[in-house]
Each structure stands twice: as structure tokens, then as C-alpha cells.
Amino acid sequence: MPSKIKEKKLALVTLGVLLAFSIMYNPSVTSQTTELTFTYAEPYQIMNFDPVHQLLTPSDRWMNSIFASLYQRNVGSRDFIPVLALDYPTVTRVNETDGTVMIVKVALKQGLKFSNGYALNSTDVAYSFQMNLMKAITTQQYDIWTKEYRFTNDSVRIINEYEVEFRFKVLRSDYLEILSFKIFCEEIFRPAIESGIYTFNDPSGYYLVGAGPFKIDHIVTGNSSDFIFLIPNEYWSLTGLPTSPVDRLVFVRYSKEVALTGLLNGTVDAVDYSYRFNFTNIAGASGLVGIRQSDYTQGLWPNHMHPVWGHTAQLDAYIGQNFTYSQTNQTFTVRSFWDEISNGFMSETDRIEAARLVRAAMSYAFSREHIASTITMNTTLPASNLIPPYSYGWNSSIPQIQKDLNYSRLLIQQAFALAGWNNITIDTTSPGIFVGDLARYFPDFWSVTAIAPATIPYRDQWTNYVTSELEGIGFNFTSVVTGTWSYILSMSLTYPITDAEYNLTNGLHTPIPLQPQGGYDLMFLGFVTWIRWDLTSVLAFDEFRPVGVNFINYWDAELEFQLQSMQEEINTTIWQFIMNDIQLELFNKNPGIPILYLTAFFAYRDIWTGLAPVLLRNYEQPWWELQVIPELTTTTSTLTSTTTSIQPPSTTTTSSINQTQTFANTTTSETTPTTPVDITSPITPPFLSLPGDSPLIGFAFILAILARRPVVSKKKR
């Protein structure tokens, strides 16, 4: 009998524990705690906990709340402000035996600590940068820092405990961008690296120790959802910057449906742009703000070795050159359509101008408004600038390009006239060759292919639309190829060119060939250029594949000089003039043809301030600025278009495109909120509420959380 009583008691205890956990993880149960929780939902699976190998990836969004940098962007102006640094650096240029060196000296705030209590000083700063120069670790910065910036270990020097010197052999106006990388705890990483550990993907959080405003509390991963729970870093106040009142910052992977439900019922505070929500998803809801933020530019990128539109193909040095590719067993001969139809009498200047006129004709041959409104259903914006509006230095005076087929055909006619062909007509009633039927007369040159990665919605549709419109000015598209990234890249960015072939032919760079040789003719692609725009690596002569990423084979001496000047100029006013000139050059020369700006839609509860969608998009959100509105006065729902002003490194004005819509309660006010649901888990985890997951597995997860042991750390110093 006693044994049966014990069994009953054990059964009751077990049932009670299960019920307790089901209540704790049930969002319908109202929490009685006053702790403040902010929950950010995104669709990405949380798999990588390696802070060293995270750069501009979704994990950077939550890691940026853990790690701090010397300088980080703020929400208001989006300028860099000192975080771990005491002030802005001093910058001097010194002439040394091997050239001019830009010396950037940074003084640290004294008394800083990492979240584990270890002191943060110049040793940690220097080692954090030197880690990115270790080939064995192979970070994403390694190639850029060692090749483009020409960094070595000697480029980062410790002056004293609180001063560090950075020596740039290449003059860089974006030095604050470079100094915004995460600062790691040297006492954690040095022993690991010296013992041969070069990856740091430890889900226990051992390497996730930073000096940011939050620190890891615990991590839960599941089949349908993942959770990162963060709590305030008690040492953040040593930076002297504001402290967020949030008691628990939670990043969760949710499905689109669950994320939207959570946003509407208040258990999710903000949703990531990757869900691709829009205003209609939150229309009629109370207490929500939706922001449609202009995003990066999608464009049409020509291969500039093409004989008709290719800029570089018209250069004297390249015409007639033969290039061989050992890995594909192909031979590519550079031809100039204009040189051949003029019997070699066209000057290099006229050939370049004829190719430019064709690219301009391509740009005016289709309707960007049609793509934005009809094909993408108002989820994009028409683009006439390769630089997106959210970037520093965006030139708002660049005119919008409207479809004008007659003008496009006139430009084609002008190009032929430079070659002495005056019988190219733009209508069927005149004698001569009709401009819209050039592929029939010159099939080897005007019959082309287009490629596009099938990685974002609607791209295949606007690719088909644009190519069909281009046939109206003379092209014949024999095929339009869409496919996976790896397949498309194999014809462009990763086309196999060996190092030996790079400078093999008369000192000229071996280019990515055209479609008949396994390369490409035209490519539909977008470039994420982040807040500080720089496409030098795509447009510079010494960045041709395989050394750099200039896969379009474009080179223009004047534009390259401007790009170099932009990189070196640290005077804001002069820098802006250079940026304006660059954008005008891009508009007039069309090395790439802008089509549209993608838009990123963010939505969040209107009790929050300090969120910057463009910084969230670029993984640069300063989480210490996340604040709650103590007393919210609500207004009627409105839709407004706003223009913000930004400029590096001061706040000189330029333009950015945003649309903001507020859906607010019209009858009540809200006071200081508490956590939306039970504080033990502010959102519904997968293992107890979503179909397809076993409750027993969930229970095991819970027990594992309760039983987790803290990471044993060294004695604080």
C-alpha cells in the first residue's frame, strides 16, 4: 500500500510540474510581473553562435546587442558616435619611405568591462582587429583588410593601456566604418586560438561575451522556433551611454503566420522585414507602426565585354585579344560591333560613345513604374540611381527615368550614325533597316541571353518583362535563364579563371566571357551596398575576377579616379561633391542600369522608440536606444510620406525615402506597459503549442534549461 501511495504522489507531482510548465509557456496566461520584455521576431533559424564569423548576417542583429565597438551608429542621425572610444579619433597623414600613411589614434574610455567582469582595454581592441588578419581564422574581413586596406599586424599598435593606433597604408574616408567592428575579450579568444581553435560556434554562449548593453541569459532551439534570451549587461553603464529599460530582450524565429499573430495580439513587439509584410497586414490593428523603408537597388548588369554595349570591349587594348580558360576549355575573342561595321574607322572615343548610347537606350525602353506597381504589387519603388536612397550621399537630383521607346530608338539611331550608318530608321515607313529588327540583320551581335538568380520574389517576372521590352529596340533574347545562386554565379562571379590566367594575355585581365563561352551577356542582380555606398570593387580595373568582384568587366579611368577620391576624402563637404559627381557619372554612363529599389517593411508596437529600420536592416541597431514611451497619447490612423536627412560624418542633409503609417487606438491612452505575456517565456515556444512537435521533447528542453550550469570563467581582474 505505501508503495501505491508513493506512486500516486509521484504521479500528482509529475502532473503538477507538467501543468506548471504548460501555464508558463501559454501566452494566454497573463503575467503578474512588472518586468519589461521586448520580443523581436524573424524567420531565420538560429544555428550559428560564432561572433567572429558573423558579418552582415541575421545573427548579427542580436549579437549587436551583446558586443560593442569603438564607434557605432546612432538612431537619430545614423552617424557614428563614440561607444567604447572616449571621443572621435585624431587623424594625421604622414609621408613615410613606402608612401603616405594615415594614422588614426583612438583613446578608450577608462574603467570599461565586458559582461563577465573582465577589464576592457587596448589589448582587447588590438587583438580583436588582429584576429581578422589571421589567415587560419579566415573571417569575412580577411581578404579586404589584407589586400584592399593592406593591413598587417603592425597596422594596429598599442600605445598604452587606453590608446590604440591604426595605420592605414591606403587612405580611407570610411575609417570609422572599419573601426566599428566588434571588440572581443582577448582573455577568452587568445587561449582558444593558440590551442588551434579557429571557429567559435559554441551554443553554450562561452564566446558570446561582449561589452554591449545586453548579455546572453539562455538559448533555446527547436524544430519550429528558436529563442535568444538576453538580459541587461550590468557593466554597460560604464560607457556613459543611455541604458535601455528593457529587462529581457528576446529574439525568436517564428513562421510568418505566428509572427503576425503575435504582433497583432501584443506578444511580439516587432517583426523583421524578411517576412515581407505590408501595410495591409496590420491595417485596422491598434497600437502598431508600419514603416516601409527603401532598400538596396536591383539592376540590369551588362557584361562589358559584349561587342554592342560593352564599354571595355570598345577599348583599343582589348579589341581582337584572345583569352583562353583552361578549366572550361573555352577561348574568347573580344570583338567590337562598332569597329566591324565601320571597317575599323571609328575612333576609340566614338566606339565608347556608341556603346553608351545603346545602354542608355536600354534604360529608357521599359517602365519602372509598371514593375513597381503591377509586377511587384507596390512592394518596390522605381529606381534611376544605382545608389539606394538610404545611403549616405544619395543625390536626390537624379531624375526619374520614364519609359520612352521612341527616345530609345533615337539613341540607337545616333549610335549607328557614329559608325557612318545613317539608314537605321525608327519607323517602318522610312527606307533602310528598322531599328527594332536589328537582331535579324546582325544575329551574331543583337541575339543575346539574360540570366537572373531566382532568390527574391518577382525577379523572374520583371526579368521577362524587361527583356521583352528590349526586343522593341532591336534585341532578340534567345533565352532567359533563372536558377539557383550557385548556378547563376558559375556564369558570372565564380566563372573559373585561374590566377595564372589573370594577367596572361599582354598584361590584360582575363575577363569573364560571354554566354557562348559559358559566361553571360546580361544579368539581373541587386547589390546590398549598406549605408555607406561603395561599389569600387565592382567598377575598378584592378578588381577584375578572380582578384576582386568586378564581374561586369567595366573599366572607366575617369570614374575610377572619382571612386578613389571618394575613398580617400575625409572632408565631409568635399566628399559630398564627389559623391554627387559619381552618381551623375553613373546616371550618364550606365555601367549598370538601375531598375527598382526593394523596400523593407518593418512593423512594431507604438509604445517603443529608438528603433531605426535602416539600421535594423543593416544589422547596426544600437539596442541601448530602445526605450518605452511612459505615457502614450494615441491619435487617428494616418499615412504619411517622410523625408529624412543624413550625411557622414556630420548631419548635412540629403534625402531618404520612407513611408510611415500609424495604427493607434483612438479612444484610450496607454501607460507604462508590463511584459505582454508570462515573463518566463514572453513568446510561445514550439515544443508545447505548435503542431508537429512532441510535448515530451519540449519537457526535456525545459528540464535542460533548468539544469543548465553557468559557464565557468576565470577570476575577474
Side-chain angles (χ1 to χ4, degrees), residues 357-372:
L357 288 169
V358 172
R359 296 195 301 274
M362 295 164 69
S363 186
Y364 283 94
F366 59 91
S367 171
R368 291 158 173 83
E369 288 74 17
H370 172 74
I371 298 174

Side-chain angles (χ1 to χ4, degrees), residues 198-219:
Y198 302 126
T199 58
F200 313 98
N201 189 22
D202 187 343
S204 74
Y206 177 75
Y207 297 105
L208 297 175
V209 176
F214 291 89
K215 64 180 181 180
I216 287 287
D217 183 36
H218 64 281
I219 300 169

